[in-house]
Amino acid sequence: MADPKKLSVEEILAACRKVDGDAASQAEPPASEATPPAESAATPPAAKTPSPAADKPAAKALPSGEARKLSVEEMLAAARAEKAKKAAAETAAPAAPAASAPADGGKIDSAAARKMSVAEMMAAARGEKDKKAAAPAAKKAPAAKPAAAVAKKEAAPVKGGPLDTASILAAARTDSKRGPMSKAEAAAKGVPVPAGKPAVVAPPMPQKPAYAQPRAPQPVADGSTRRGFMAAITGTLFGSSLAIGFTALSLTNVLWVLGLARFMFPNILTEPPTKFKVGFPGDLAPGQVETKYKAQFGVWIVRGDYEGRDMIYALKSVCTHLGCTPNWLEGEQKFKCPCHGSGFYKDGINFEGPAPRPLERYAIRVSDDGQLEVDKSQTFNEEKGDWKDPASFVA
Ligand code: FES
């Protein structure tokens, strides 16, 4: 039989069945009396204090066939009785160790077993079963190794086998380190450390290509040689043609610009003012014809008689035939047109030639300063009777 302190549920049930079987066998007269060796011989006082649970199966003395039909409570009661018996036997033996194993170790104390309820015994049995089931699983599943240890194992190069990329790079960096080196590293590698800052040595300049090399001076095409002469002729022809063409084009553009500028401004006729002064009235002698204003203003200033009155008037120097400019003929005392021979008297009345009517007058007056002022914006015609207008003469 297994250790009663570590019994499982199946073992407890098997023990109960066995106890029931033993009780059934003890119910028979010869067998029950012949086999109580441990109780009668070794522990008579303990046997005399039977537990109430142990009395039931013994008193009933059920047969083995009925023991298989026991309920769980009955079976557990029988198990307790069996354990109580064994605990009494152990306490009777002097060399036997006391049943004082800790409950948390999975061993069931015999004294505590007597006081344990059914639920507690079932819970203890399940806990024992779970521990047994967890033990082999823990043995099979190895403990998770630290990630650092795995990485270190993976990073470590395999001796004699192909190296991974990290190992190759690490070996290359170790063998030939580029860039600045600390003093400690230099001392470890035996490299002499310069005292000051190392001088910067410029790399040599690459040699210039052929097309970038300076060219030798070319001979001037001055016509002294045959090739130079041809080059000079060609350059003169093409160069001059291009120069002439571009010059003509430039001049054309300039003319176009000037013409456009002239087109943008309208034609302006600068005419003499319509009003101008011709001197004082006392400056004119009776019967005098002043011709000095003819060229500039196209007018004669005349002091003469008209209808028996002495007056000053201004005659328009335009022939009434076709617009020619007559001339004053002092010897003949008349205005003579050179175009078709029309003639006018001193007062402007036409008397010969094709002129159809007398000459016209301009308005004249004495200004504020006492000078005679002629206004060409007003004309007076004799055939219309305008000469009687005081604005057409100065008395
Ligand atoms: Fe003066 Fe004809 S224009 S006569």
Side-chain angles (χ1 to χ4, degrees):
M1 185 178 176
D3 189 0
K5 298 178 182 178
K6 298 181 180 179
L7 289 175
S8 64
V9 176
E10 290 79 7
E11 290 172 347
I12 292 171
L13 294 175
C16 293
R17 294 189 186 95
K18 185 178 180 182
V19 171
D20 293 338
D22 293 342
S25 62
Q26 288 176 2
E28 297 176 1
S32 61
E33 295 178 357
T35 58
E39 296 178 2
S40 60
T43 60
K48 290 180 180 178
T49 58
S51 64
D55 292 343
K56 292 181 180 179
K60 290 181 180 178
L62 297 175
S64 59
E66 295 178 359
R68 298 186 187 92
K69 299 178 181 178
L70 289 175
S71 64
V72 176
E73 290 77 10
E74 291 173 348
M75 292 172 70
L76 291 173
R80 291 191 192 98
E82 181 66 17
K83 291 182 184 297
K85 288 179 183 179
K86 290 185 179 181
E90 289 175 357
T91 53
S100 60
D104 56 354
K107 297 178 181 179
I108 302 173
D109 190 359
S110 59
R114 295 189 197 100
K115 300 178 181 178
M116 291 175 67
S117 62
V118 177
E120 291 172 349
M121 293 181 68
M122 292 297 291
R126 290 192 191 96
E128 183 69 17
K129 187 177 181 180
D130 294 340
K131 286 182 180 179
K132 288 183 178 180
K139 291 179 181 179
K140 291 179 181 178
K145 296 181 179 180
V150 175
K152 184 176 181 181
K153 185 177 180 181
E154 291 178 354
V158 181
K159 293 181 179 180
L163 297 174
D164 55 347
T165 305
S167 301
I168 294 171
L169 293 175
R173 293 193 189 96
T174 303
D175 295 341
S176 60
K177 182 178 180 181
R178 302 181 65 181
M181 184 183 298
S182 64
K183 293 181 178 180
E185 292 177 348
K189 292 191 174 183
V191 177
V193 179
K197 188 177 181 181
V200 178
V201 179
M205 294 294 291
Q207 188 175 6
K208 291 183 178 180
Y211 62 84
Q213 296 293 338
R215 294 183 177 180
Q218 299 293 328
V220 181
D222 55 353
S224 58
T225 60
R226 180 180 179 185
R227 179 173 296 179
F229 176 75
M230 295 302 295
I233 293 297
T234 304
T236 301
L237 291 177
F238 288 97
S240 298
S241 300
L242 290 176
I244 291 171
F246 278 108
T247 302
L249 182 61
S250 301
L251 291 175
T252 305
N253 292 335
V254 170
L255 292 176
W256 272 104
V257 171
L258 292 176
L260 180 63
R262 179 65 184 87
F263 176 77
M264 298 302 291
F265 292 96
N267 293 328
I268 298 175
L269 298 177
T270 54
E271 296 181 351
T274 58
K275 292 183 178 180
F276 54 93
K277 294 181 178 178
V278 293
F280 293 94
D283 297 340
L284 294 174
Q288 181 182 351
V289 176
E290 182 62 55
T291 60
K292 62 180 180 182
Y293 300 106
K294 173 189 172 185
Q296 184 178 1
F297 300 106
V299 65
W300 293 293
I301 306 300
V302 181
R303 182 179 178 181
D305 293 335
Y306 178 69
E307 294 180 352
R309 297 176 62 188
D310 183 18
M311 59 179 67
I312 299 173
Y313 48 87
L315 290 177
K316 186 177 179 180
S317 59
V318 175
C319 179
T320 56
H321 177 220
L322 294 178
C324 290
T325 302
N327 297 317
W328 171 248
L329 300 180
E330 184 66 26
E332 299 177 6
Q333 291 292 307
K334 66 176 182 182
F335 299 101
K336 187 65 174 180
C337 182
C339 297
H340 307 97
S342 297
F344 306 88
Y345 294 119
K346 184 183 292 185
D347 54 4
I349 301 298
N350 56 309
F351 66 94
E352 61 180 355
R357 55 187 177 89
L359 297 174
E360 297 178 359
R361 288 182 182 181
Y362 286 129
I364 186 171
R365 73 182 183 90
V366 179
S367 63
D368 298 338
D369 58 353
Q371 295 191 59
L372 296 172
E373 183 182 59
V374 179
D375 185 5
K376 295 178 67 175
S377 62
Q378 284 184 303
T379 56
F380 300 89
N381 298 330
E382 193 276 341
E383 69 272 14
K384 296 180 181 177
D386 296 338
W387 284 10
K388 296 179 179 178
D389 190 340
S392 63
F393 62 91
V394 174

